[in-house]
Amino acid sequence: MKKNTLDEIYQAFMEDIYYYLLSLCRNKHVAEDIMQETFFRAYLYFEDCSYDKVKPWLFRVAHNAYIDFVRKNSRSYVKSNDFFYAIADRKTPEGKLLIKEQYEEIVDLIGKLPEKQKQVLLLCDFNDLSYKEAAEIMNISLSYIKVLLFRARQHLRDRVERDECFE
């Protein structure tokens, strides 16, 4: 049988390799990159493979390129913009003023809540106590704690949406 060139092999199997890699990584850009790596590796070792075994050999090369990609990317973690925003120094005078104003708005909103709702919100959300601990402190049932907390949070949400606070 006639030995094909790598270009002919590429034309014959490129689509199959691409869809195989796309099904593995679910990202068309990554699949294209890995496919390029696959055919680069195939170019390097093309003479070692017989024509009747080219397709399975290409799939093995593609699989190995995919595994290498996954290993390489597992070591490097891309941080989102939120990460960098969180570590940025926001202790500028404007930042401090905004934080102080937001704090005052929160205190004001919480102060307008009914007493039991205010107390359960402070215990559970601001002091990280469990519902059970808050129920024991307030000497009320666990189910009533949940109702009070739901109503307090809903009241704050409604108030923020109505007044458009924090924007």
Side-chain angles (χ1 to χ4, degrees):
M1 182 176 266
K2 176 188 156 208
K3 183 137 175 134
N4 291 16
T5 65
L6 184 61
D7 187 46
E8 291 169 345
I9 300 287
Y10 177 82
Q11 294 301 325
F13 300 114
M14 176 263 308
E15 203 169 289
D16 293 336
I17 298 293
Y18 171 74
Y19 286 115
Y20 169 70
L21 291 168
L22 184 62
S23 69
L24 288 175
C25 65
R26 300 175 192 253
N27 181 320
K28 68 179 189 173
H29 301 293
V30 172
E32 290 169 357
D33 289 344
I34 299 172
M35 186 179 67
Q36 285 181 345
E37 178 66 21
T38 298
F39 282 98
F40 174 72
R41 291 179 185 185
Y43 170 73
L44 295 175
Y45 300 103
F46 184 62
E47 276 74 34
D48 298 341
C49 184
S50 64
Y51 178 74
D52 58 332
K53 297 181 181 179
V54 168
K55 187 173 182 176
W57 177 72
L58 278 174
F59 275 88
R60 190 173 337 111
V61 172
H63 179 75
N64 290 339
Y66 172 73
I67 295 297
D68 291 346
F69 172 81
V70 169
R71 285 182 184 152
K72 177 183 163 202
N73 285 331
S74 69
R75 287 183 247 136
S76 63
Y77 179 72
V78 178
K79 302 286 186 183
S80 68
N81 288 338
D82 296 336
F83 173 80
F84 295 106
Y85 180 73
I87 63 171
D89 184 18
R90 297 188 307 169
K91 295 182 181 181
T92 62
E94 297 87 9
K96 288 179 182 178
L97 182 62
L98 286 174
I99 290 171
K100 182 180 177 191
E101 287 176 356
Q102 287 177 344
Y103 176 78
E104 290 171 358
E105 288 177 22
I106 290 171
V107 169
D108 185 48
L109 289 174
I110 292 173
K112 292 177 182 175
L113 289 172
E115 190 60 36
K116 285 187 178 184
Q117 289 181 15
K118 178 175 26 175
Q119 190 172 0
V120 75
L121 190 73
L122 292 172
L123 289 173
C124 293
D125 288 349
F126 289 89
N127 292 302
D128 295 325
L129 294 176
S130 69
Y131 294 168
K132 185 178 179 183
E133 292 168 331
E136 290 172 2
I137 291 170
M138 294 178 66
N139 200 26
I140 56 178
S141 71
L142 185 60
S143 59
Y144 191 50
I145 283 287
K146 293 176 183 178
V147 169
L148 285 173
L149 193 56
F150 173 80
R151 288 179 182 165
R153 290 173 178 163
Q154 187 64 45
H155 184 83
L156 287 177
R157 246 188 312 272
D158 291 344
R159 187 65 187 240
V160 167
E161 289 173 2
R162 191 171 359 139
D163 294 346
E164 296 182 4
C165 297
F166 309 111
E167 293 191 22

